[in-house]
Amino acid sequence: MECDRATGLLSPLVDSALGPIARWQVRRHVAGCDACAEKLEELRAMRAAIRTKLIFHRAPPGLAARIGAALPREAPPEASRPWFRLPVFSFGGTGLVGALAGVALTVLVMSGQGMGGGHSEAMQAVIGSHIRSLQAEHLTDVLTSDQHTVKPWLSARLDVSPPVLELKDQGFPLVGGRQDYVDGHPTAVVVYRHAKHVINLLAWASPGAANEPPRDESRQGFNVVTWRRNGITYYAVSDVEADQLAEFAKLVAQAT
Ligand SMILES: [Zn+2]
């Protein structure tokens, strides 16, 4: 991917508006390109500033009125007059006040997208990890169907110890394990198969977080079941049918 194209996709990347493949391609480019990495960092910082600062430092009451009163009165051109009527437009009705209101609206809309964004971003990252594992020939670091090899291998490298089960008789043979870094978390991944499908079971530490029962979700053609138990967050992700993944997740969740 060229810089020009990557640059154009940075903003959608930050907005979680890219599909998994484009997202992976942009990230791969950014990983090897200092200029784009810097631009991405700037975008993220700007977004974070908008979320954390502007929201909590609201304009004091009456500011819009004072700005409106201080500016010469002029009616905005008909075409630029917004179709909606907010009280702020009655304060002088200048173009600047309108522009300020526009900024405020933009901030509100952007913060609205951010609600529940933590979960959404984690889902994107989980699916990204699944796709990388299929594309990059990096499905496993330790390739074995022996659970007594996989579990100590993961325990030795990560601070989470997900259950590594022998589920061959239930139709989910163990393939191996790998370590990954997903949504900012060092992540243990246990890899299973169901027929020709790969199931990645991701686990990362969430110390102190409340338990949450398994929950199904479908996104971008992948099924995901997520739950949290005893300070560990789990994601099972695959393109197997939702009911089969739910069955798999039930078996694993029993052991967590
Ligand atoms: Zn670049």
Side-chain angles (χ1 to χ4, degrees):
M1 182 176 280
E2 300 290 326
C3 271
D4 271 1
R5 182 159 158 68
T7 303
L9 292 175
L10 291 177
S11 188
L13 178 74
V14 172
D15 292 338
S16 299
L18 290 182
I21 291 173
R23 192 181 169 89
W24 178 75
Q25 287 172 331
V26 176
R27 284 189 164 165
R28 192 175 60 166
H29 173 85
V30 168
C33 174
D34 288 346
C36 287
E38 198 172 314
K39 282 178 203 154
L40 181 61
E41 215 36 62
E42 278 169 17
L43 269 174
R44 288 202 167 125
M46 192 170 74
R47 166 63 67 88
I50 287 171
R51 273 188 190 160
T52 58
K53 298 201 178 99
L54 293 189
I55 297 298
F56 295 109
H57 296 285
R58 293 182 193 283
L63 176 64
R66 290 202 298 279
I67 292 170
L71 290 165
R73 293 196 171 256
E74 53 171 321
E78 197 62 38
S80 72
R81 188 170 289 169
W83 57 268
F84 46 76
R85 294 279 170 182
L86 292 174
V88 66
F89 290 106
S90 63
F91 299 128
T94 68
L96 177 60
V97 173
L100 286 173
V103 170
L105 280 175
T106 306
V107 170
L108 287 174
V109 168
M110 291 178 77
S111 70
Q113 286 173 348
M115 284 171 196
H119 170 68
S120 180
E121 281 162 24
M123 283 284 288
Q124 286 285 350
V126 164
I127 290 170
S129 169
H130 180 69
I131 290 169
R132 277 199 310 278
S133 79
L134 303 180
Q135 288 180 337
E137 292 174 8
H138 185 212
L139 184 59
T140 58
D141 290 323
V142 53
L143 177 65
T144 170
S145 59
D146 180 4
Q147 64 195 108
H148 303 296
T149 304
V150 175
K151 190 162 174 74
W153 189 91
L154 287 171
S155 307
R157 285 160 181 81
L158 293 151
D159 56 355
V160 290
S161 185
V164 181
L165 305 175
E166 182 44 80
L167 298 173
K168 195 175 174 184
D169 292 344
Q170 290 90 337
F172 304 102
L174 180 65
V175 176
R178 71 174 185 280
Q179 52 181 340
D180 203 342
Y181 196 75
V182 180
D183 194 40
H185 308 274
T187 303
V189 187
V190 188
V191 186
Y192 296 85
R193 273 189 194 278
H194 183 67
K196 287 179 179 165
H197 305 278
V198 170
I199 300 175
N200 277 300
L201 174 71
L202 287 74
W204 64 66
S206 304
N211 287 353
E212 284 179 25
R215 179 176 55 172
D216 302 358
E217 226 168 296
S218 183
R219 193 181 289 208
Q220 295 163 358
F222 298 101
N223 290 309
V224 180
V225 182
T226 179
W227 70 97
R228 194 180 289 136
R229 195 148 167 86
N230 294 330
I232 300 180
T233 300
Y234 297 91
Y235 284 89
V237 53
S238 182
D239 61 344
V240 296
E241 298 294 324
D243 55 347
Q244 287 163 343
L245 189 66
E247 187 190 326
F248 167 81
K250 195 177 152 195
L251 291 166
V252 178
Q254 280 170 359
T256 59

